[in-house]
Amino acid sequence: MVNPAGTNGFKYSTFYIYLFYAYLIVIYPFLYQYYEGDQKVAVLNRVFVAILIVLILSKYLPRLISKPFYNIDLLFMIQFSYLMISISLYSMSAQIYPMDILKEYLYSIIPILFYFVSKTYSIREFKTFIMILFFSILIISLLGILEASDYTFSDRMANALAKKGKGNFISYYSAIGMGYIAQLAFALLLFDIVRIKKIKYPLMGLFFIISLLTLQRSSYLGIIFALISYSIFKGRNNKVSFLLFGLFLLMVLNTLISTDHTNYYGFDVGRYIMDEINSFDLESVQRQRAGQSIVSNSNDWFSILFGEGFGKYSPNNILTIRKMPDASYQRIFNEIGAIGSILFFLPFVSLSIKYIKEHNSFMIYFIIFSLFAFYFNRILWMIPLNYIIYSIIGFSMSNNNRDKLNDVYHIHGKNI
């Protein structure tokens, strides 16, 4: 066997990273749903992920010594250090349990290190990561399609796949998680990060429909961002195909909206989609999150500047006085203050400016949309989305001289 480094023999470090992504994307969320309410399984699930993370960090971070160091790397190091200091100081207040601190590390802080880990990936390692990511999303989606088609599952499996709330397409993910990965799969195909020649457009149509059925406005926004970025920077090179595909997506949307699917889905899909589109404005989002969207540190100057402590308003904190799961920007200001907020967003803003200058269409969509989605939902603090996001950003910075992401992975239809 030839390993990614080009030498003979099996490399356990690459095995760990492949196992980590496959487990994190497919197995980790599945076990939580399949063994819902079983705390022993939940703890073992987190412990296994933590062990994989330790193995990966011990093998990959030493590689950074030989890699170029950029200003954005320093910004992410500062971001990581600030959050570590903030949660460490807050933990001394005894207003958060040790297990909740560990969850906050796992969900919010350690993912930043995967920016640095993925900077060390070889082209082959990143190709494999993209392959695992895309086919994992496809498998998760197909399970959701089977559930929607009334396929007969065991009782426990059926409960794991059961829709929560108003019927969002979720498979065994949350609606937020499914909304993000569905539009991401659409974008990976659109920007040719994943190339499947013979069935590219059918798969894009599938993920477009799934994105709509998640009933998540952030998912709709992701599709719009991807299409706009593509049309500005890449679509003009193939105007006819892009126009025809745009018309196809409009036909699909019109069919979903105008056709009565009540007998199949159990509710009027078109009406729910239209309701989400019609309420697609900032005022509506803020109104729905009014109970969370509160700025609490407006009187004490120390808290205004440095915050009240990272994790104080986290949904992972059992002792919190106010959970803020879907008001991430307000939570950031409350917990790490004005200085911490600037340090948190600065690397993302810097990357956005960098890729706009370079006309890197995929990364423009990916970073700017992720920041918008983070305003609506906690995607940077949600497994597995956070590890995916930081990994893609890190690899995009692994070589500052050329765009690796525009031609990184090819899957030819005949070889699937």
Side-chain angles (χ1 to χ4, degrees), residues 84-156:
M84 285 288 289
I85 293 170
S86 181
I87 195 171
S88 297
L89 293 175
Y90 176 66
S91 65
M92 298 177 184
S93 68
Q95 295 180 23
I96 183 170
Y97 291 132
M99 184 56 69
D100 294 343
I101 296 173
L102 292 176
K103 283 194 289 185
E104 205 63 51
Y105 282 138
L106 191 63
Y107 296 166
S108 306
I109 300 177
I110 292 175
I112 300 171
L113 293 179
F114 276 73
Y115 165 83
F116 298 99
V117 168
S118 62
K119 275 194 64 184
T120 72
Y121 292 165
S122 67
I123 291 287
R124 183 173 175 179
E125 286 171 327
F126 194 76
K127 285 178 180 180
T128 306
F129 160 65
I130 289 294
M131 178 189 70
I132 291 170
L133 170 61
F134 181 78
F135 283 107
S136 293
I137 295 173
L138 186 59
I139 290 169
I140 293 161
S141 301
L142 290 177
L143 282 173
I145 291 170
L146 286 175
E147 190 278 332
S149 303
D150 293 328
Y151 180 84
T152 303
F153 289 102
S154 66
D155 291 343
R156 177 169 274 182

Side-chain angles (χ1 to χ4, degrees), residues 263-283:
N263 291 334
Y264 187 70
Y265 289 103
F267 66 100
D268 189 343
V269 175
R271 181 174 67 82
Y272 273 98
I273 292 175
M274 285 305 301
D275 286 346
E276 293 297 326
I277 293 174
N278 290 332
S279 61
F280 209 148
D281 61 82
L282 186 60
E283 181 181 353

Side-chain angles (χ1 to χ4, degrees), residues 2-64:
V2 178
N3 66 39
T7 58
N8 292 328
F10 187 83
K11 283 201 76 169
Y12 284 98
S13 58
T14 53
F15 171 75
Y16 294 147
I17 201 73
Y18 300 155
L19 175 62
F20 172 74
Y21 285 119
Y23 187 89
L24 198 71
I25 298 170
V26 180
I27 306 300
Y28 185 88
F30 174 75
L31 290 179
Y32 271 105
Q33 295 299 326
Y34 193 79
Y35 295 98
E36 187 177 13
D38 191 327
Q39 290 303 309
K40 290 183 179 178
V41 173
V43 171
L44 289 174
N45 208 11
R46 287 194 291 270
V47 167
F48 185 70
V49 169
I51 291 172
L52 286 177
I53 288 172
V54 171
L55 291 172
I56 290 165
L57 294 180
S58 67
K59 296 292 184 180
Y60 278 82
L61 288 184
R63 289 189 185 184
L64 284 171

Side-chain angles (χ1 to χ4, degrees), residues 21 114 118 121 126 129 386-395:
Y21 285 119
F114 276 73
S118 62
Y121 292 165
F126 194 76
F129 160 65
N386 40 19
Y387 289 90
I388 293 171
I389 292 170
Y390 281 106
S391 294
I392 291 176
I393 292 175
F395 182 80

